[in-house]
Amino acid sequence: MQNKFESLELGQFIPLHYHHNMLNDPHRMKGFKQAIDWVVKPGAKVLELGGGTGVQSFFAAQKAQKVYCVERNPELVEAARKLIKKNTNGDRIDVIQADAMYYLPPEPVDVVICEMLHTGLLREKQMPVINAFKKRYLEKFGGPLPVFVPEASIQAIQPIQQDFNFEGFNAPTILFQDPYSIQARSQNLSDPEIFQFLTYAEPFNPNCSWDGKIMITQSGQLNALRLITKNILALNMETCSTQDWYTQYIVFPLAKPLTVSKGDKVAICFNYQGGAPLNALSDSLEVTKINDIKCQSVNELNILYAGSVENLANIAQSQQSKIAYSKVQKNSN
Ligand SMILES: C[S@@+](CC[C@H](N)C(=O)[O-])C[C@H]1O[C@@H](n2cnc3c(N)ncnc32)[C@H](O)[C@@H]1O
């Protein structure tokens, strides 16, 4: 059982060697470098919340006039200062040891970079930190809010059959998966279903929840759910494209696996606070099979399924246009 202090601090201290691994992740580095290059205009003022080694602040400093890089962990503050000194335009970056929950820059900024992202927006404090920042910022400086990197996160859930047998050792535990490689030990039992789309500059619910149904498209043993978080790091208005980055997938084993057949529907329900421990999802998770759909004809099932795929595409598309629209409005104001 976690005490209050542990749960408040959770996800906020990432060891230095893990930061070195993050530097070594090409999807992450290339994605953020490109996004920051799109968003930061020459002479801009930038704030980074949770600077780590300072790499994102370094990307921003190649165009920005001033970068405030806020980091709470003293070991990382020291590492960032050392590394930034070795790099071009490091003199444009101030590394400040402070808690991002309370910090405000001395002047308005054009861009805020905040990568406290964990799959499911669990553990790390992306949602509470950004919500608290927006409130303080608007109180002190008024609008408009800066542009956020990432701009938005889209979350989805996918029923899967997972092989939890490790050389004969059966261990149905939480697993992380590389989103950029094929997962031979997982079998997808349906397409992913989006349960949340949040745009950081807009007001958002501090909770992540879903109460919905998914159509099974492949028969099997439903023994786990895959949680997917895709982050839209930035939107390029000129090319109408986005720079995206997936955090690692998380596989959550189900307490009671279900045997499912193609055409079955499963009801999935969960609710947790952004930044909560990993087990907050499992603790609130309910997955049940709905049998009433069985009596429908194959044609009806196809229509239902096609509808859900179409919906997914429409949701993603309409949300992306929503961001694009609000950006066009901001730019024209
Ligand atoms: C996932 S790391 C990202 C680091 C860096 N931005 C990067 O992209 O490499 C999140 C960072 O946020 C810092 N952090 C977490 N909570 C914080 C808080 N409340 N105030 C300031 N920094 C915080 C952590 O110490 C960590 O360095």
Side-chain angles (χ1 to χ4, degrees), residues 12 14 19 22 28 48 50-53 55-56 70-73 76 98-101 115-116 124:
Q12 299 200 60
I14 297 169
H19 282 268
M22 291 195 278
R28 190 174 186 282
E48 181 176 13
T53 53
V55 59
Q56 318 283 8
V70 175
E71 172 55 55
R72 188 177 176 201
N73 180 342
L76 283 160
D99 187 337
M101 279 286 193
E115 195 281 86
M116 297 188 193
E124 291 194 57

Side-chain angles (χ1 to χ4, degrees), residues 28-48:
R28 190 174 186 282
M29 285 303 111
K30 286 198 176 108
F32 274 96
K33 185 177 182 197
Q34 179 65 84
I36 291 168
D37 184 54
W38 282 352
V39 168
V40 175
K41 305 292 175 226
K45 310 258 171 72
V46 177
L47 168 66
E48 181 176 13

Side-chain angles (χ1 to χ4, degrees), residues 302-322:
N302 284 346
I303 291 164
L304 259 170
Y305 179 58
S308 89
V309 168
E310 208 174 273
N311 272 348
L312 260 184
N314 287 345
I315 293 168
Q317 209 177 21
S318 77
Q319 296 293 359
Q320 291 198 3
S321 350
K322 218 167 80 186

